[in-house]
Amino acid sequence: MAMHDPVTAALTQVHARLASQRDGKLADYITQLALADAGTFGLALVSMEGHQYRAGRAQSPFTVQSVSKPFVYALVLAELGLEEVTRWVDAEPSGEAFNAISLEPGTGRPANAMINAGAIACTALIPGPTGARRFDRILGILSRFAGRNLDVDESVYASESASGDRNRALACLMSSTGSLPGDPSGAVDTYFRQCAVRVTAVDLAVMVATLANGGTNPVTGSAVVPEPVAVQVLAVMASCGMYDASGKWLLRVGLPAKSGVAGGLIAASPARFGVAAFSPPLDPAGTPVRGAAAMRELSERFGLHLMHNPARGAPTFSLSGGQDERVTLVAAQGAIDFTAAERLLYALSPLALKTGGGVVLDLADVMSVDARATEMVRAALTGLGAQGRPVAVVGRLGSAAAGTGPGRRSFTSGQEAVACCAEVGRP
Ligand code: GLU
């Protein structure tokens, strides 16, 4: 993208403002991570059309660490379904640090898939005859999310394996209560390899854009996980993704997110874009300092908070009684979902429909009508037909959504439809 586009300009400004920030500490419990260059800082953003924007060191490699967790959770959800996965891993914020022993009293079930205990359980749940095969599946799905073949940083893997006793202890504890399937040391070893997969900020932005895009990679076009799985993963990222800082994060930034101890951070703006940052220094909660500040600025600047008024009315409507009082014409454009259908059909409700006579629903310029909206359109037209009104639908998609019913007709042009309804309605 050229430097003068507004998105690159915004990323570049945010990057420039935060680059001199010196707060935070490198993770050092994995010795290789303490060797990182604290000054490296990159930002990347990928839209639902696969447009890529970047600022700073967005192509520098680092290990994915805990940013792998939502994607491996997605893999087991796609394989086993939410019910089965929830038997093993709950979906409640733990309010505790990433490596806490947040296990349900009595059952030993981990609180959620974003903390280490839950992530190790997810890794163990992946179907496969050996650890190596399970790891191949992990690398495969992370690569499909990223849209390119990823590899492992063997030195970081060896370094974490050498100092990973706390994670081993967590796995053994879960295994002893029956809450971890299979061999605990194998599960932890696979988890360490998963954390050592090498990515860039651009890779992470494509990966999280895939979640924001309902599971389809916006760059490669490949359907990586089904849409309901992407929704489930984003929900758990929103409530649990930032460890014990999850509540404050949702309040202030308002985007599903996940951080990693090597300095990676992702956030999703559902149906809009995925954004990623890389900057190694972490705050005491394990959140990358510059990355978090960047997400916060971008969210405020672009009005992205999840609870902010959702983008109003991509579909537009026009209502006219026509020159002929006997016919009411309602036209819509864009994508018709529940919200759009509610607005559209309100104009045809007995409350709003002042005149008697025919009704034309012009959906010729509509891009899509989803299943819920289809049901609503059908019910509304059936109701109008039952009142004895002539009803016409315009456009191929609209006619398909409307289906058939008494007194209901389809047209390709609005004019024809109005003329026909006026004719039928003539006393
Ligand atoms: N591999 C790291 C660990 O298990 C991941 C933690 C993180 O990135 O927050 O300790």
Side-chain angles (χ1 to χ4, degrees):
M1 276 283 153
M3 268 306 283
H4 56 261
D5 79 79
V7 182
T8 306
L11 290 182
T12 306
Q13 273 177 23
V14 170
H15 182 275
R17 208 176 8 257
L18 297 171
S20 54
Q21 149 80 262
R22 291 280 170 268
D23 292 348
K25 263 183 75 231
L26 298 182
D28 55 7
Y29 72 99
I30 299 172
T31 45
Q32 280 290 315
L33 297 185
L35 305 177
D37 173 359
T40 313
F41 180 29
L43 293 173
L45 184 149
V46 172
S47 77
M48 300 297 87
E49 288 74 37
H51 305 154
Q52 301 188 17
Y53 304 89
R54 54 184 86 133
R57 303 272 293 276
Q59 307 271 38
S60 296
F62 56 95
T63 53
V64 65
Q65 299 298 336
S66 285
V67 184
S68 62
K69 292 170 181 173
F71 302 101
V72 173
Y73 187 45
L75 171 60
V76 289
L77 286 171
E79 288 283 336
L80 307 175
L82 183 60
E83 298 315 316
E84 176 61 13
V85 174
T86 308
R87 280 186 52 226
W88 295 93
V89 182
D90 202 359
E92 285 302 332
S94 68
E96 293 183 295
F98 69 102
N99 57 6
I101 307 175
S102 291
L103 306 177
E104 193 171 61
T107 65
R109 184 172 63 149
N112 65 68
M114 302 297 125
I115 55 168
N116 288 6
I120 295 167
C122 286
T123 302
L125 280 171
I126 296 167
T130 61
R133 293 281 282 280
R134 275 196 286 278
F135 181 70
D136 286 346
R137 303 208 49 198
I138 293 175
L139 192 61
I141 198 142
L142 294 178
S143 297
R144 283 199 297 286
F145 269 112
R148 73 176 185 99
N149 288 332
L150 302 175
D151 64 3
V152 173
D153 184 326
E154 293 294 342
S155 62
V156 174
Y157 160 72
S159 172
E160 179 159 18
S161 185
S163 63
D165 282 349
R166 188 176 172 95
N167 282 323
R168 284 194 189 91
L170 263 177
C172 288
L173 199 59
M174 285 191 285
S175 180
S176 72
T177 60
S179 63
L180 185 83
D183 156 41
S185 60
V188 178
D189 186 67
T190 308
Y191 168 77
F192 290 155
R193 289 196 82 78
Q194 158 191 330
C195 289
V197 169
R198 207 172 351 218
V199 291
T200 66
V202 171
D203 290 328
L204 289 187
V206 177
M207 293 169 80
V208 69
T210 302
L211 290 177
N213 193 37
T216 296
N217 185 313
V219 177
T220 64
S222 112
V224 183
V225 289
E227 211 247 341
V229 166
V231 171
Q232 289 154 5
V233 173
L234 289 176
V236 174
M237 283 168 66
S239 59
C240 312
M242 302 302 280
Y243 304 132
D244 41 339
S246 295
K248 282 187 274 302
W249 178 270
L250 189 59
L251 177 64
R252 291 179 183 278
V253 183
L255 297 173
K258 187 73 204 82
S259 63
V261 282
L265 177 63
I266 56 172
S269 185
R272 290 162 162 167
F273 54 74
V275 58
F278 170 54
S279 168
L282 310 175
D283 71 11
T287 305
V289 178
R290 290 192 193 99
M295 303 291 175
R296 192 161 152 178
E297 272 204 52
L298 292 170
S299 171
E300 276 168 16
R301 187 160 178 158
F302 297 138
L304 299 175
H305 197 293
L306 276 186
M307 308 305 168
H308 183 69
N309 258 350
R312 280 275 202 127
T316 54
F317 302 98
S318 61
L319 175 67
S320 61
Q323 290 101 331
D324 193 327
E325 283 286 297
R326 285 191 299 271
V327 181
T328 302
L329 171 89
V330 184
Q333 297 180 339
I336 309 297
D337 59 2
F338 168 81
T339 319
E342 184 279 327
R343 292 172 64 201
L344 175 68
L345 298 174
Y346 185 84
L348 301 181
S349 69
L351 270 179
L353 210 53
K354 296 283 185 293
T355 57
V359 168
V360 174
L361 186 58
D362 186 344
L363 301 180
D365 292 331
V366 152
M367 270 160 44
S368 62
V369 186
D370 77 10
R372 292 146 204 106
T374 297
E375 234 173 75
M376 293 164 76
V377 167
R378 287 190 182 177
L381 297 187
T382 302
L384 291 164
Q387 292 167 25
R389 291 175 188 267
V391 176
V393 186
V394 183
R396 192 183 50 79
L397 269 179
S399 302
T404 52
R408 199 176 305 172
R409 310 196 43 187
S410 290
F411 294 89
T412 45
S413 100
Q415 263 173 346
E416 253 180 275
V418 171
C420 175
C421 281
E423 194 53 44
V424 178
R426 204 178 288 281

